[in-house]
């Protein structure tokens, strides 16, 4: 294993973190236990397997003492010489509520002097289930990379062999003069794209209509909740009105927010919060290289619209417009600007960036891909899996969505003090799916 510099976006995630606003993502897997001791056995397996996974041995350190020219202010991944997997895998006491424990654990930052990941095994009091909460710092992994690392310590999965990727040619110290026109065009294109993104962000802040429930003062506390939806119900709606599965899943979020705001007394009239929809710029087959590969779309969620099919139509139109423009332009593509900021700028500007997140978007709605086959640990099958996204400063709620074995899993993360009624929002997700199905029936 060798050291490598953090990519600019990774460096941004590393520097914008604070003790009250940890920048780790998570996933809560619920397993059907084959014996009352299955949880303890799972913890032993995770620790034993983690020792053999190179990506889990990597810590993050300042770059300037590591001999990287031109990296002043940056950071790098390097093998941890004292890596002990027992420091990262914890077996907890039996619990009757996996989500309550997950919320408590999600609010705890990862220790920055060690490889930034953890696995928490939660045996169920019923004796027939246990859960594992994985936490990965966003500077270590995006969703696809985190999935790859977690899969490496679960039971082996039979997949088709991966074709070896052609080796990249060594990077020259100076550019080939024959490529200068191309490089100049690329630089000008980058400048144009940056100006376009900046203008789009400025426009997106105009006439913002959101709810204080989504942008309350952050307290650093966390609460989580999970919702399971049958994918057949989602396809039923999609086939009736058109669009994509993702369009339906986002529209469900908009409708659930409307119900929740009205029921808690905040009201949904005139509310159209800005939702950031992250877009991965890497393919699943290339999930191994280090570094985040993210852009995003920004859209107004039609929370104020009382018509469920009208909300879905609005989401579909907005997503089609975003896709036509592509993920490299528009207000949602701010993450791409990280490539144009020097390392020292990320270090000095990290706190400012974290403060500015609330000016950019009001709620995160992200999709995390999962394999279609059953995941197992120690022969115990994963029955449910809830992804959890980081919660930015000044924002009260984030939504992550995964489809696994014919069911859609919504993972909700909220500031525990700002959103004490997160379970009610989770119920509203289920009710919104039922409402859409009813609206589509002839």
């Amino acid at each position: 294993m060798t050291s490598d510099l953090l990519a600019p976006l990774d460096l941004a995630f590393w520097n914008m973190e604070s003790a009250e606003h940890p920048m780790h993502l998570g996933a809560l897997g619920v397993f059907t236990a084959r014996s009352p001791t299955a949880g303890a056995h799972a913890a032993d397996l995770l620790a034993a397997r983690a020792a053999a996974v190179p990506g889990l041995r990597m810590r993050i350190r300042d770059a300037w003492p590591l001999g990287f020219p031109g990296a002043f202010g940056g950071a790098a991944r390097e093998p941890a010489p004292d890596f002990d997997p027992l420091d990262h895998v914890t077996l907890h006491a039996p619990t009757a509520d996996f989500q309550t424990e997950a919320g408590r654990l999600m609010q705890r930052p990862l220790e920055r002097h060690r490889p930034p990941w953890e696995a928490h095994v939660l045996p169920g009091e019923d004796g027939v289930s246990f859960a594992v909460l994985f936490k990965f710092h966003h500077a270590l992994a995006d969703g696809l990379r985190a999935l790859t690392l977690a899969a490496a310590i679960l039971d082996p999965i039979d997949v088709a062999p991966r074709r070896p990727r052609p080796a990249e040619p060594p990077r020259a110290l100076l550019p080939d003069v024959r490529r200068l026109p191309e490089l100049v065009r690329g630089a000008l294109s980058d400048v144009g794209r940056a100006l376009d993104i900046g203008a789009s962000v400025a426009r997106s802040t105009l006439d913002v209509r959101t709810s204080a429930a989504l942008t309350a003062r952050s307290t650093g506390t966390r609460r989580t909740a999970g919702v399971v939806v049958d994918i057949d119900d989602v396809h039923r709606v999609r086939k009736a009105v058109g669009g994509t599965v993702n369009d339906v899943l986002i529209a469900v979020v908009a409708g659930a927010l409307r119900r929740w705001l009205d029921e808690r007394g905040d009201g949904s009239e005139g509310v159209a919060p800005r939702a950031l929809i992250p877009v991965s710029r890497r393919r699943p087959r290339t999930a191994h290289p280090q570094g985040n590969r993210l852009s995003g779309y920004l859209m107004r969620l039609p929370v104020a619209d009382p018509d469920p099919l009208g909300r879905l139509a609005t989401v579909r139109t907005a997503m089609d417009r975003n896709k036509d423009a592509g993920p490299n332009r528009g207000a949602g593509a701010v993450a791409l600007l990280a490539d144009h900021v020097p390392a020292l700028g990320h270090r000095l500007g990290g706190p400012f960036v974290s403060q500015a997140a609330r000016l950019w978007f009001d709620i995160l709605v992200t999709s995390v891909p999962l394999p279609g086959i059953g995941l197992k640990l120690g022969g115990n099958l994963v029955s449910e899996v809830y992804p959890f996204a980081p919660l930015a400063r000044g924002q009260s709620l984030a939504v992550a969505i995964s489809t696994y074995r014919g069911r859609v899993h919504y993972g909700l993360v909220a500031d525990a003090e700002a959103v004490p009624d997160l379970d009610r929002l989770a119920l509203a997700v289920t009710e919104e799916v039922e409402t859409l199905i009813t609206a589509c029936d002839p």
Side-chain angles (χ1 to χ4, degrees):
M1 294 184 291
T2 58
S3 300
D4 67 291
L5 282 173
L6 291 188
L9 186 54
D10 301 342
L11 189 60
F13 286 137
W14 188 248
N15 286 310
M16 66 189 292
E17 179 178 64
S18 68
E20 295 78 21
H21 300 89
M23 287 302 299
H24 55 254
L25 44 86
L28 180 69
V30 179
F31 295 76
T32 301
R34 301 196 299 175
S35 74
T37 61
H41 179 53
D44 292 339
L45 282 176
L46 291 174
R49 293 171 178 174
V53 180
L56 297 178
R57 302 175 63 92
M58 305 298 283
R59 65 178 177 180
I60 296 176
R61 292 189 61 195
D62 291 339
W64 49 68
L66 298 181
F68 286 97
F72 185 77
R77 298 180 191 86
E78 66 167 13
D82 54 351
F83 174 72
D84 185 349
L86 294 178
D87 292 335
H88 298 264
V89 179
T90 304
L91 176 64
H92 294 262
T95 178
D97 189 342
F98 296 139
Q99 291 289 351
T100 295
E101 289 301 304
R104 180 180 63 83
L105 293 167
M106 283 295 290
Q107 75 185 35
R108 288 174 18 186
L110 295 165
E111 295 191 35
R112 292 169 68 91
H113 67 280
R114 300 193 312 203
W117 69 275
E118 293 175 351
H120 296 271
V121 181
L122 309 170
E125 284 186 352
D126 55 15
V128 297
S129 65
F130 68 91
V132 179
L133 174 68
F134 290 103
K135 294 167 57 177
F136 294 97
H137 199 287
H138 220 326
L140 179 70
D142 57 14
L144 278 174
R145 176 67 176 163
L147 172 62
T148 301
L149 292 172
I153 50 179
L154 295 176
D155 290 356
I157 301 174
D158 292 329
V159 295
R162 181 181 287 109
R163 291 183 179 180
R165 292 180 296 143
E168 296 184 1
R171 185 173 298 178
L173 295 177
L174 296 174
D176 186 338
V177 294
R178 293 170 297 182
R179 296 188 59 240
L180 284 179
E182 175 189 343
L183 294 173
V184 171
R185 286 194 300 270
L188 292 175
S189 176
D190 286 346
V191 171
R193 181 172 62 185
L195 292 173
D196 178 73
I197 293 172
S200 297
V201 170
R203 289 193 298 269
S204 74
T205 62
L206 300 175
D207 190 28
V208 173
R209 294 171 294 166
T210 186
S211 169
L214 299 178
T215 56
R217 181 181 65 85
S218 301
T219 66
T221 59
R222 293 292 181 270
R223 186 184 303 274
T224 68
V227 186
V228 180
V229 174
D230 194 318
I231 191 63
D232 289 340
D233 290 339
V234 177
H235 282 299
R236 183 175 173 184
V237 174
R238 178 190 62 80
K239 291 177 181 178
V241 300
T244 68
V245 165
N246 203 40
D247 293 342
V248 177
L249 298 179
I250 295 172
V252 166
V253 174
L257 288 174
R258 175 183 174 82
R259 291 172 179 271
W260 176 64
L261 291 174
D262 286 342
E263 290 178 4
R264 75 195 319 249
D266 291 340
S268 61
E269 183 178 356
V271 173
R274 297 160 300 173
L276 176 63
I277 318 292
V279 177
S280 175
R281 296 190 298 135
R282 76 160 99 219
R283 299 178 181 178
R285 288 293 186 180
T286 60
H288 282 282
Q290 304 277 13
N292 280 273
R293 304 286 191 272
L294 292 174
S295 182
Y297 299 140
L298 197 70
M299 63 174 293
R300 298 287 183 93
L301 291 180
V303 171
D305 190 341
D307 177 17
L309 296 184
R311 291 193 293 269
L312 177 52
T314 299
V315 168
R316 180 183 176 184
T317 298
M319 288 300 289
D320 285 346
R321 184 167 56 247
N322 276 321
K323 292 172 187 174
D324 287 342
N328 295 329
R329 289 187 178 273
V334 166
L336 301 182
L337 299 183
D339 291 341
H340 304 283
V341 177
L344 187 59
H346 282 293
R347 180 176 294 274
L348 298 178
F352 171 77
V353 172
S354 71
Q355 294 278 4
R358 66 184 304 172
L359 303 177
W360 174 27
F361 64 96
D362 305 306
I363 183 173
L364 179 73
V365 182
T366 184
S367 179
V368 182
L370 290 176
I373 59 179
L375 300 172
K376 294 182 180 181
L377 178 57
N380 304 285
L381 182 66
V382 175
S383 58
E384 305 166 30
V385 57
Y386 302 99
F388 298 133
L391 195 59
R393 182 186 296 270
Q395 295 169 345
S396 303
L397 179 68
V399 180
I401 310 169
S402 284
T403 300
Y404 173 69
R405 301 192 74 201
R407 300 196 298 175
V408 178
H409 294 76
Y410 283 83
L412 311 179
V413 176
D415 186 286
E417 293 189 22
V419 186
D421 55 346
L422 186 62
D423 289 343
R424 186 62 197 86
L425 176 59
L427 179 59
V429 170
T430 301
E431 293 171 342
E432 181 62 16
V433 173
E434 296 170 352
T435 296
L436 279 169
I437 292 173
T438 300
C440 291
D441 286 340

